[in-house]
């Protein structure tokens, strides 16, 4: 290998640890993993090979290191971990397609159809049929098949992942272990899936530190200094193996968090899997997103490790070049779940050619094999037209009759051989000796539990630090709420008037932190896929993850509760003693820990976010209601009083209230003292009123008596603290149990969805996971490329007549290390009818260049000129071009046709009639051959369209807009198999042939694909141009250029792969290819041509019509179309709507029965107040549910639709708001019906109608509040943390917790009147309670004696005319025991 690798395999930077550049013998201590660090002192058994095998990847750059590890192991007489996989008669079935109907809000209530469907047994669909094979240690098997053929399912079976499948038959043996015994070794049988699941805010180095720390063996080699040294060396080896050491300090990132490039992220996924040190590896399309050179290096790495360390590697790949293909030992070919070939790699092509199929010269053999059952792809040898096998069954039958099948069947007895048994015994011993001695024998883990917890804790803090904004908003919101609440309850008096205020302050201290803890539900779902992956890798026990979360909680909550308590406690004027404060502090901390654990348990216990948010919303309403503040313990109805006993908030509230009121004497003042005023100063003739615990004639309350009336006691404080921690333990245990049951998705995934209202219009049935990629194989034959009806569609395509150029284009971004240049003086053009390829290694700046050209960059500095017809770009440029991004972002609940029509109606010129726009949609559907899926939902990953179908839709959405200048496509073939990739490029060729200008970035093109392009712009690392110009027939022009500079392309070598290797791979020869280009005659000619094109274009009239309009359609039309789409999407989102409605019904019934038939006493007036107040608390649960949906829709808008100038943000916001209206009306009516009459509010029509109208308005108000918070929040967790501040502030100042007269003057005159909750409370109280007669209870009377010679009426005459005008004296003529209420 040459010293200089491609950018993807760039030399390690000078910042790299010095340990990596040590001598080989010193470096070899690193991987002692892979390796075999367990030093069992038993020699290899007699069946083990003593000679280091000759590897097909002998030229891999780290091969000497791996050999050194192997030799060191042999010196130490280390037992091997060789296993192998054998399977026979494997048949797998999944749930069939009948369930793939997406119900809408109305159709889900079709009871007769539901009953009919329930009577029919669920149909099963065969995904794999009678598969068989054997992969021994040291062998690599390539599994080939088109999407839907069953490749992923086979890999899951061979990785022992059976969850979610309806039926699995057949035998799978791992060595001599059956699949049940192999469950105890799940960390040794691993699978790298196509998805890249990471915590995006962690850096690459942190991610790999975590993985390698969890796999440090118990028994280290004698030459290794320490566990930390072993782990560090292992991490460095893995990073170097994929040449991504330079990314160690960069965040992994994802679609929304900026991090490493897509290709680098895929390589992180690869080395994280390698860090498991497994014996059996299954790799599912692991080269997706990698350039050809990097993909080849990855395969060489797996080949080398497999050969030297005796691994078993099973790989499925799409678009595998011949260089990759030839590295394998065996090939298994699947078609529709049927195994049509399994045998040696070298015999696969001859076998198919003997059947009559032709493999063209230079073609990828892997693509040839997968295409033999596809009429549009296969080529039949002359003379075999009538006798070649036409179907998968025909080919399988011929294979079963072949000598290859007979020879391979001999291997199926491998599990019963002495070799396999001895290897398996050695495997068991080796794995057991690697495990820490404290772990159970059946545990698949490696390091002790304490190490797991410690490592998980470190990672939790790294996640927190990486996402500082979320941490800071939590602390800021807590401090802000403390200041607001403290000022609200500022210096609450030590009298009866302060009693209610202090109780409110204490209640708010608990409820606010509980609302903040609700964000754990949202957070739980963001990290779940990563934990499920790590569980399958046996990195740690889920309990370690849960304990780590708690350990991370403690300091964060200590800080949060401390500054919250300090501010609120002393501003509110609570008991000013150190013991009282610290008792309050520890109780609030314990309650917050408990509620955090509760919401985390709810998040862990439910499979879907909608279900978890529904339960969490109901939980907060229930627990807040039965805390003891809103309704006191004596007033609780017997059917719900049990909630009080299981409510953590109730125990916390009792304890902090007892802490505050114990040993307090509370004088009665104001309305609580009868009579009072300037003429009533003698306490002997006064008494407390409105306080049930006051003794007759007493003018003060005893705090402990008040506590006793509430069924509280100061002696319960520490008991309650213990109960809170017991609840915390319970919730933690529930979380651990629930987390341990999380599983990766399997079985019924990847099926198409048809909306119920479109069922009659569907062209094809929905299909399940392993059959949906290509709904039907067309009946037309061999060399035809597409149905004839697409020819007429070609004529209807819009032709482009503008030339697009760019010159001296540079792009610079600011990083923590300073300015970084991503593009460096790039030049080029795209003319009408030209199909241009943009290529380079991973991270060379291909996507960046497309973003800059398409005006999609919002950060950084751009230098240079971008011209259309020699003129500056107009305001309509973005909507006049089509840009198909790498990520296929669409509204998941729209059908394919609806998505195309939406784009056509909004992006085509307003001068074009609607009918013509829709007709053009039909043209594009014909062209894209999407008739069979036009009425299916787009769906989300795993449920909906396949990768290839989504890619075609993405292209279609841009095509229907009739782009008049250019179409950009970013890696449209990534993740597709060879045939699908060729179909996409063939289609792009067709577009160019009818006059469109197309510029495409592309990875791993086959020789056939590459020759479809006209021009090539080749970039090297740093965005430097290496070549721009014609490709030529069979890439002749390009080959001549590189041959001139001593880099000729060998015969039968893919020129696309060759040039990547030359420019930035193993064939670079240490040359500066950018400088070579700048000094070449081609560069000079290109610059002259570029200037000529610009001058000519500028001298003639512009070919584009610039209407100077930012959007194609007027705002009203945008709003109508967007609102219609939002309405349809919500109509089909039954989970969201059902949860919203159910939450209203349940909380309404709960509220109604909590305040069942309220009476007419003075205390009952407060019950009426709180019954209405509890209606407010429907908001937090619904808001927590609607915000993730809002943010998801916003991400779709900002990622694609906003950038393409499809419609204005005004239309977007209007559509989101209006689409909620019908369901909010339903929710308001249902809540009203379940609550209003249950509580016993008045029934006159005027009051009923007015109350319903106010409740309806409140539904609109809180929804708009939730959406406005989400609009400013960067993510759902951020929004969940901001909610309590906004909702808490509105609740605080609505006049319930603190009456208007007692609100501080700073707040009273503005926020009270700006608060919509104030008007809700005021209007509902007015309509339900204004003229309600009040009858005082005996305990509510103030009883006292008047002075001698006075009747009660005489003594109270002045009082009854002034301060006591609303009081009721029941015995005015009495001379003693005056009774005033």
């Amino acid at each position: 290998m040459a010293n200089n690798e491609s950018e993807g395999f760039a030399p390690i930077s000078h910042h790299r640890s010095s340990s990596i550049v040590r001598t080989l013998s010193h470096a070899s201590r690193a991987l002692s993993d892979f390796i075999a660090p367990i030093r069992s002192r038993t020699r290899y058994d007699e069946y083990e090979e003593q000679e280091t095998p000759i590897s097909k990847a002998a030229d891999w750059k780290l091969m000497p290191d791996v050999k050194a590890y192997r030799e060191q192991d042999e010196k130490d007489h280390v037992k091997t971990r060789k296993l192998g996989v054998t399977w026979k008669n494997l048949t797998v079935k999944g749930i069939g397609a009948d369930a793939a109907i997406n119900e809408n809000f109305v159709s889900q209530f079709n009871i007769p159809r539901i009953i009919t469907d329930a009577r029919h047994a669920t149909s099963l669909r065969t995904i794999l049929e009678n598969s068989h094979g054997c992969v021994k240690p040291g062998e690599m098997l390539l599994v080939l098949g088109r999407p839907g053929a069953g490749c992923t399912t086979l890999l899951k079976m061979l990785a022992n992942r059976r969850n979610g499948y309806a039926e699995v038959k057949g035998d799978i043996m791992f060595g001599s272990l059956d699949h049940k015994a192999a469950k105890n070794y799940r960390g040794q049988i691993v699978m790298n899936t196509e998805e890249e699941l990471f915590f995006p805010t962690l850096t690459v180095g942190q991610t790999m530190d975590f993985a390698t720390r969890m796999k440090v063996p118990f028994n280290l080699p004698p030459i290794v200094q320490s566990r930390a040294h072993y782990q560090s060396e292992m991490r460095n080896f893995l990073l170097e193996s994929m040449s991504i050491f330079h990314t160690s300090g960069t965040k992994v990132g994802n679609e929304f968090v900026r991090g490493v490039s897509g290709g680098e992220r895929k390589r992180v996924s690869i080395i994280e899997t390698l860090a498991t040190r497994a014996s059996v590896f299954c790799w599912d399309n692991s080269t997706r997103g990698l350039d050809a050179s990097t993909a080849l290096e990855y395969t060489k790495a797996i080949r080398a490790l497999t050969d030297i360390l005796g691994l078993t590697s099973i790989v499925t790949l799409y678009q595998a070049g011949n260089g990759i293909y030839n590295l394998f030992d065996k090939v298994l070919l699947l078609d529709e779940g049927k195994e049509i070939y399994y045998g040696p790699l070298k015999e696969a092509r001859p076998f198919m050619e003997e059947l009559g199929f032709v493999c063209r010269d230079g073609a990828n053999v892997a693509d040839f094999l997968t295409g033999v059952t596809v009429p549009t792809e296969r080529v039949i040898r002359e003379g075999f037209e009538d006798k070649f096998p036409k179907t998968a069954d025909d080919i399988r039958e011929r294979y079963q009759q072949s000598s290859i099948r007979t020879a391979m069947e001999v291997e199926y007895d491998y599990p019963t051989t002495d070799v396999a048994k001895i290897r398996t015994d050695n495997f068991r011993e080796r794995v057991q000796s690697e495990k820490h001695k404290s772990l159970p024998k059946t545990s698949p883990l490696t390091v002790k539990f304490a190490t797991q917890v410690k490592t998980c804790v470190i990672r939790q803090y790294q996640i927190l630090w990486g996402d500082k904004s979320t941490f800071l908003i939590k602390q800021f919101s807590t401090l802000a709420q403390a200041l607001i609440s403290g000022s609200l309850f500022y210096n609450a008096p030590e009298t009866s008037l302060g009693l209610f205020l202090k109780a409110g302050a204490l209640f708010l201290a608990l409820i606010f932190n509980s609302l903040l803890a609700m964000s754990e539900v949202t957070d739980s779902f963001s990290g779940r896929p990563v934990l499920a992956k790590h569980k399958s890798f046996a990195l740690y026990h889920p309990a370690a993850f849960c304990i780590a979360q708690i350990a991370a909680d403690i300091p964060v909550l200590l800080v949060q509760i401390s500054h919250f308590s300090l501010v609120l406690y002393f501003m509110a004027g609570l008991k000013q003693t150190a013991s009282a404060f610290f008792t309050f502090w520890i109780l609030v901390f314990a309650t917050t820990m408990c509620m955090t654990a509760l919401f985390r348990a709810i998040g862990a216990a439910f499979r879907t976010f909608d279900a978890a948010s529904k339960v969490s919303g109901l939980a907060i309403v229930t627990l807040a209601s039965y805390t003891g503040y809103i309704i006191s313990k004596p007033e609780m109805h017997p059917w719900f009083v049990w909630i009080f006993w299981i409510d953590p908030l109730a125990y916390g509230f009792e304890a902090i209230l007892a802490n505050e009121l114990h040993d307090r004497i509370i004088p009665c003042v104001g309305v609580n003292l009868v009579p009072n005023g300037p003429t009533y100063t003698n306490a002997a003739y006064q008494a407390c009123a409105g306080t049930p615990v006051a003794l007759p004639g007493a003018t003060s309350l005893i705090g402990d008596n008040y506590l006793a009336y509430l069924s509280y006691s100061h002696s319960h404080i520490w008991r309650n603290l213990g109960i809170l921690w017991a609840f915390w333990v319970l919730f933690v245990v529930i979380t651990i149990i629930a987390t341990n049951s999380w599983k990766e998705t399997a079985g019924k995934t990847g099926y198409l969805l048809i909306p119920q209202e479109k069922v009659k219009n569907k062209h094809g049935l929905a299909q399940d996971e392993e059959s949906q990629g290509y709904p039907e194989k067309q009946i037309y034959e061999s060399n035809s490329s597409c149905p004839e009806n697409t020819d007429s569609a070609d004529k209807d395509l819009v032709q482009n007549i503008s030339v697009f150029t760019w010159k001296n284009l540079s792009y610079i971004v600011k990083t923590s290390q300073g300015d970084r240049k991503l593009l460096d003086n790039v030049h080029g053009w795209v003319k009408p009818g030209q199909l241009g390829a943009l290529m380079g290694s991973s991270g060379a700046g291909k996507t960046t260049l497309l973003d800059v050209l398409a005006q999609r960059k919002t950060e950084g500095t751009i230098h240079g000129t971008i011209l259309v017809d020699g003129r500056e770009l107009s305001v309509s440029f973005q909507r006049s071009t089509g840009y198909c991004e790498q990520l296929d972002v669409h509204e998941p609940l729209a059908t394919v046709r609806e998505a195309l029509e939406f784009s056509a109606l909004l992006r085509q010129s307003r001068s074009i009639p609607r009918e013509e726009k829709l007709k053009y949609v039909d043209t594009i559907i014909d062209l894209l051959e999407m008739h069979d899926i036009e009425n299916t939902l787009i769906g989300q990953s795993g449920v909906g369209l396949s990768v290839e179908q989504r890619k075609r839709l993405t292209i279609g959405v841009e095509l229907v807009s009739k782009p008049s200048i250019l179409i950009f496509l970013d890696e449209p073939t990534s993740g597709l198999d060879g045939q699908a990739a060729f179909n996409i490029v063939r289609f792009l060729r067709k577009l160019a042939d009818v006059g469109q200008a197309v510029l495409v970035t592309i990875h791993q093109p086959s020789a056939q694909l590459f020759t479809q392009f006209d021009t090539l712009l080749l970039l090297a690392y740093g965005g430097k141009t290496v070549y721009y110009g014609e490709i030529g027939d069979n890439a002749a022009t390009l080959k001549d250029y590189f041959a001139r500079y001593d880099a000729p392309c060998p015969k039968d070598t893919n020129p696309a792969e060759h040039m990547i290797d030359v420019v930035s791979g193993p064939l670079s020869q240490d040359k500066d290819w950018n400088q070579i280009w700048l000094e070449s005659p081609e560069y000079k000619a290109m610059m002259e041509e570029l200037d000529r094109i610009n001058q000519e274009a500028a001298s003639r009239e512009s070919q584009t019509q610039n209407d100077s309009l930012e959007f194609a359609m007027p705002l009203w039309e945008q709003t109508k179309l967007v609102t219609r789409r939002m309405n349809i999407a919500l109509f089909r989102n039954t989970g969201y709507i059902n949860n919203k409605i159910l939450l209203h019904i349940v909380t309404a019934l709960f509220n109604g029965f909590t305040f069942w038939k309220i009476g007419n006493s003075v205390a009952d007036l407060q019950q009426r107040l709180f019954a209405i107040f509890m209606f407010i608390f429907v908001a937090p649960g619904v808001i927590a549910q609607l915000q993730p949906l809002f943010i998801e829709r916003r991400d779709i808008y900002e990622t694609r639709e906003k950038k393409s100038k499809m419609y204005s943000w005004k239309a977007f916001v209007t559509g989101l708001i209006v689409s909620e209206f019908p369901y909010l009306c339903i929710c308001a009516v249902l809540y009203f019906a379940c609550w209003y009459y249950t509580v016993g509010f008045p029934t006159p029509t005027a009051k009923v109608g007015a109350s319903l109208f106010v409740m309806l308005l409140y539904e609109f108000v809180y929804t708009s509040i939730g959406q406005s918070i989400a609009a400013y929040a960067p993510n759902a967790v951020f929004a969940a943390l901001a909610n309590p501040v906004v909702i808490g502030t509105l609740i605080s100042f609505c006049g319930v917790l603190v009456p208007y007269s007692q609100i501080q003057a700073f707040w009273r005159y503005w926020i009270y009147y700006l608060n919509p909750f104030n008007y809700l409370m005021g209007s509902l109280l007015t309509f339900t309670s204004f003229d309600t007669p009040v009858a005082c209870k005996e305990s509510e009377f103030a009883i006292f004696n008047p002075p001698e010679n006075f009747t009660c009426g005489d003594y109270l005459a002045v009082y009854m005319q002034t301060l006591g005008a609303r009081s009721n004296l029941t015995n005015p003529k009495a001379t003693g025991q005056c009774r005033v209420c």
Side-chain angles (χ1 to χ4, degrees), residues 44-51 70 80 82 419 422-423 426:
Y44 281 96
D45 61 80
E46 59 181 325
Y47 298 98
E48 296 298 341
E49 300 84 349
Q50 294 300 316
E51 297 295 328
R70 163 73 180 252
T80 62
K82 297 181 179 181
V419 176
I422 294 174
R423 283 175 171 173
N426 288 343

Side-chain angles (χ1 to χ4, degrees), residues 44 188 595 968 1295:
Y44 281 96
Q188 292 295 316
M595 294 302 291
F968 299 100

Side-chain angles (χ1 to χ4, degrees), residues 781-1081:
E781 261 306 330
S782 155
N783 297 320
S784 62
S785 62
C786 60
E788 293 180 2
N789 63 351
T790 59
D791 294 338
S792 60
D794 296 349
K795 300 173 185 176
D796 298 326
L797 287 173
V798 174
Q799 296 187 10
N800 174 33
I801 49 178
S802 296
V803 62
F804 180 75
T805 63
W806 60 97
K807 185 177 181 181
N808 299 321
L809 200 60
S810 296
Y811 178 60
I812 301 170
V813 295
K814 294 187 180 297
T815 68
S816 56
Q817 289 82 32
D819 288 350
R820 182 181 175 190
K821 182 175 281 191
L822 300 182
L823 296 176
D824 190 357
N825 286 317
V826 183
H827 319 274
W829 65 83
V830 184
K831 297 178 180 178
Q834 179 177 305
L835 178 58
L838 174 55
M839 296 183 65
S841 58
S842 297
K846 303 181 297 296
T847 300
T848 302
L849 177 57
L850 275 197
D851 286 341
V852 170
L853 293 177
Q855 304 294 293
R856 300 295 175 99
K857 287 294 185 187
T858 56
E859 300 175 349
T861 305
I862 300 172
H863 300 286
T865 57
I866 303 175
L867 305 175
V868 174
D869 290 333
R871 296 167 177 83
E872 296 290 332
L873 304 183
S874 67
V875 70
S876 61
F877 172 78
Q878 283 173 269
R879 65 177 175 84
S880 301
T881 57
Y883 188 5
C884 302
E885 298 197 39
Q886 192 171 349
L887 299 171
D888 302 311
V889 179
H890 299 283
E891 165 57 58
L893 289 169
T895 66
V896 170
R897 175 172 282 278
E898 287 166 354
L900 294 172
E901 290 181 350
F902 183 74
S903 179
L905 292 172
L906 280 172
R907 293 179 64 184
Q908 289 187 30
S909 171
R910 61 184 67 186
S911 62
I912 300 175
R914 177 185 174 91
E915 293 74 18
E916 189 175 326
K917 293 180 180 181
L918 297 180
K919 184 180 178 183
Y920 193 68
V921 170
D922 292 329
T923 299
I924 299 302
I925 288 177
D926 286 340
L927 192 69
L928 290 169
E929 301 165 23
M930 300 181 80
H931 277 294
D932 53 332
I933 57 170
E934 65 175 312
N935 288 308
T936 60
L937 294 182
I938 297 167
Q940 294 173 323
S941 178
V943 181
L945 301 184
S946 68
V947 174
E948 188 261 354
Q949 290 165 340
R950 286 173 188 274
K951 189 60 66 178
R952 277 194 284 162
L953 175 62
T954 301
I955 296 171
V957 164
E958 297 303 318
L959 282 181
V960 294
S961 67
K962 290 188 176 180
S964 59
I965 298 175
L966 183 67
I967 300 175
F968 299 100
L969 298 101
D970 188 13
E971 296 186 20
T973 61
S974 286
L976 306 183
D977 70 306
Q979 278 73 37
F982 186 77
N983 288 342
I984 293 291
V985 175
R986 182 198 69 197
F987 168 66
L988 297 177
R989 178 72 266 169
K990 186 186 298 183
L991 289 178
D993 290 342
V994 297
Q996 277 286 359
V998 184
L999 182 60
V1000 185
T1001 66
I1002 191 164
H1003 270 332
Q1004 302 182 47
S1006 66
Q1008 285 177 291
L1009 285 187
F1010 189 60
T1011 56
Q1012 296 290 313
F1013 291 92
D1014 300 312
T1015 61
L1016 170 68
L1017 173 54
L1018 183 58
L1019 296 178
Y1021 184 71
K1024 298 177 185 292
T1025 304
V1026 172
Y1027 178 82
Y1028 178 80
E1030 299 289 331
I1031 293 175
D1033 290 338
N1034 292 318
T1037 307
L1038 183 66
K1039 290 177 182 178
D1040 290 343
Y1041 173 80
F1042 283 103
R1044 196 189 321 148
Y1045 298 102
D1046 302 323
C1049 181
K1051 187 180 179 182
D1052 295 330
T1053 297
N1054 183 350
E1057 295 179 6
H1058 172 72
M1059 67 177 183
I1060 295 290
D1061 286 339
V1062 166
V1063 170
S1064 51
L1067 305 178
S1068 61
Q1069 306 173 37
D1070 291 332
K1071 292 183 178 180
D1072 184 346
W1073 287 96
N1074 172 245
Q1075 190 61 37
I1076 291 172
W1077 165 250
L1078 295 177
E1079 296 172 356
S1080 69

Side-chain angles (χ1 to χ4, degrees), residues 977-1293:
D977 70 306
Q979 278 73 37
F982 186 77
N983 288 342
I984 293 291
V985 175
R986 182 198 69 197
F987 168 66
L988 297 177
R989 178 72 266 169
K990 186 186 298 183
L991 289 178
D993 290 342
V994 297
Q996 277 286 359
V998 184
L999 182 60
V1000 185
T1001 66
I1002 191 164
H1003 270 332
Q1004 302 182 47
S1006 66
Q1008 285 177 291
L1009 285 187
F1010 189 60
T1011 56
Q1012 296 290 313
F1013 291 92
D1014 300 312
T1015 61
L1016 170 68
L1017 173 54
L1018 183 58
L1019 296 178
Y1021 184 71
K1024 298 177 185 292
T1025 304
V1026 172
Y1027 178 82
Y1028 178 80
E1030 299 289 331
I1031 293 175
D1033 290 338
N1034 292 318
T1037 307
L1038 183 66
K1039 290 177 182 178
D1040 290 343
Y1041 173 80
F1042 283 103
R1044 196 189 321 148
Y1045 298 102
D1046 302 323
C1049 181
K1051 187 180 179 182
D1052 295 330
T1053 297
N1054 183 350
E1057 295 179 6
H1058 172 72
M1059 67 177 183
I1060 295 290
D1061 286 339
V1062 166
V1063 170
S1064 51
L1067 305 178
S1068 61
Q1069 306 173 37
D1070 291 332
K1071 292 183 178 180
D1072 184 346
W1073 287 96
N1074 172 245
Q1075 190 61 37
I1076 291 172
W1077 165 250
L1078 295 177
E1079 296 172 356
S1080 69
E1082 283 85 356
Y1083 172 73
K1084 182 179 179 182
M1086 183 267 290
M1087 294 303 293
E1088 291 174 354
E1089 177 67 8
L1090 179 59
D1091 291 336
R1092 187 190 64 78
I1093 291 172
N1094 283 333
Q1095 290 170 3
E1096 281 189 7
S1099 64
R1100 64 174 183 262
E1101 186 178 348
S1102 176
Q1103 303 297 303
T1104 59
Q1105 295 181 351
N1106 179 19
D1107 53 16
S1108 299
L1109 296 171
E1110 185 178 9
F1111 303 102
M1113 299 300 289
L1115 182 61
W1116 175 241
E1117 287 298 321
Q1118 296 173 36
T1119 305
K1120 285 196 299 184
L1121 289 167
V1122 173
T1123 303
R1124 181 177 181 274
R1125 183 177 73 162
M1126 297 289 186
N1127 275 323
I1128 293 173
L1130 218 52
F1131 182 64
R1132 292 171 179 160
N1133 195 346
T1134 53
Y1136 173 78
I1137 299 301
N1138 291 348
N1139 280 341
K1140 184 193 287 274
I1141 290 175
L1142 195 60
L1143 185 62
H1144 277 79
I1145 292 173
V1146 174
T1147 53
L1149 291 172
F1150 176 78
N1151 192 358
F1153 282 97
T1154 294
F1155 297 98
W1156 171 261
K1157 300 298 181 186
I1158 299 174
N1160 294 324
S1161 68
V1162 174
D1164 287 334
L1165 288 178
Q1166 183 169 303
Q1167 295 291 320
R1168 288 172 176 268
L1169 173 72
F1170 279 118
I1172 296 169
F1173 182 61
M1174 286 309 299
F1175 174 48
I1176 288 178
F1177 283 88
V1178 77
V1182 179
I1183 286 175
Q1185 184 193 7
L1186 73 86
Q1187 284 176 333
L1189 183 68
F1190 182 98
I1191 291 172
E1192 181 185 324
R1193 297 292 187 270
R1194 185 192 66 190
D1195 288 340
I1196 293 172
Y1197 171 66
E1198 292 189 337
T1199 302
R1200 183 171 60 83
E1201 295 166 345
K1202 177 183 177 182
K1203 293 177 179 178
S1204 61
K1205 300 293 183 183
M1206 189 179 285
Y1207 54 87
S1208 166
W1209 65 268
K1210 300 170 188 174
F1212 168 72
V1213 172
T1214 303
L1216 271 176
I1217 294 172
V1218 172
S1219 62
E1220 292 274 1
F1221 283 1
Y1223 308 103
L1224 294 178
C1225 293
I1226 293 172
C1227 288
V1229 171
L1230 289 174
Y1231 195 103
F1232 175 84
C1234 295
W1235 168 71
Y1236 189 88
Y1237 299 103
T1238 318
V1239 172
F1241 282 152
T1243 57
T1245 305
K1247 294 183 176 181
V1248 170
S1251 298
L1252 176 59
F1253 179 70
V1254 171
M1255 292 174 70
L1256 185 62
L1257 291 180
Y1258 175 65
E1259 293 284 339
F1260 296 157
V1261 167
Y1262 80 70
T1263 299
S1264 63
I1265 291 171
Q1267 290 179 330
S1268 62
I1269 294 171
Y1272 283 96
N1275 54 55
V1277 175
F1278 194 98
L1281 293 172
N1283 290 336
V1285 179
V1286 178
I1287 300 297
T1289 302
L1290 295 177
I1291 288 173
S1292 300
F1293 292 98

Side-chain angles (χ1 to χ4, degrees), residues 306-418:
T306 301
D307 287 340
I308 307 303
L309 304 175
L311 307 180
T312 302
S313 299
I314 303 150
V315 186
T316 178
L317 295 176
Y318 292 151
Q319 301 183 56
N322 290 335
I324 294 174
Y325 175 82
N326 291 328
L327 289 170
F328 288 85
D329 302 304
K330 298 175 179 176
V331 174
L332 189 152
L333 185 56
L334 289 173
D335 188 271
E336 296 180 343
K338 301 175 178 114
E339 190 172 304
I340 61 176
Y341 177 84
Y342 164 68
L345 174 118
K346 61 185 178 183
E347 297 184 32
R349 176 175 174 175
F351 172 76
M352 292 299 177
E353 289 180 328
E354 287 174 6
L355 298 182
F357 301 107
V358 175
C359 182
R360 295 186 179 95
D361 292 337
N364 286 347
V365 178
D367 291 345
F368 160 69
L369 294 176
T370 55
V372 294
T373 60
V374 185
T376 57
E377 307 298 336
R378 64 193 179 199
V379 178
I380 309 304
R381 198 194 321 166
E382 189 176 346
F384 279 78
E385 290 84 358
D386 298 327
K387 53 184 178 180
F388 76 94
K390 295 180 174 57
T391 66
D393 287 323
D394 294 339
I395 299 176
R396 180 167 63 168
E397 184 179 344
R398 302 283 282 272
Y399 167 72
Q400 289 172 343
Q401 297 168 358
S402 70
S403 59
I404 299 174
R405 166 69 186 259
T406 306
M408 299 313 294
E409 284 181 336
V410 175
E411 296 185 341
Y412 300 163
D413 294 330
Y414 171 75
T416 61
T417 62
D418 291 339

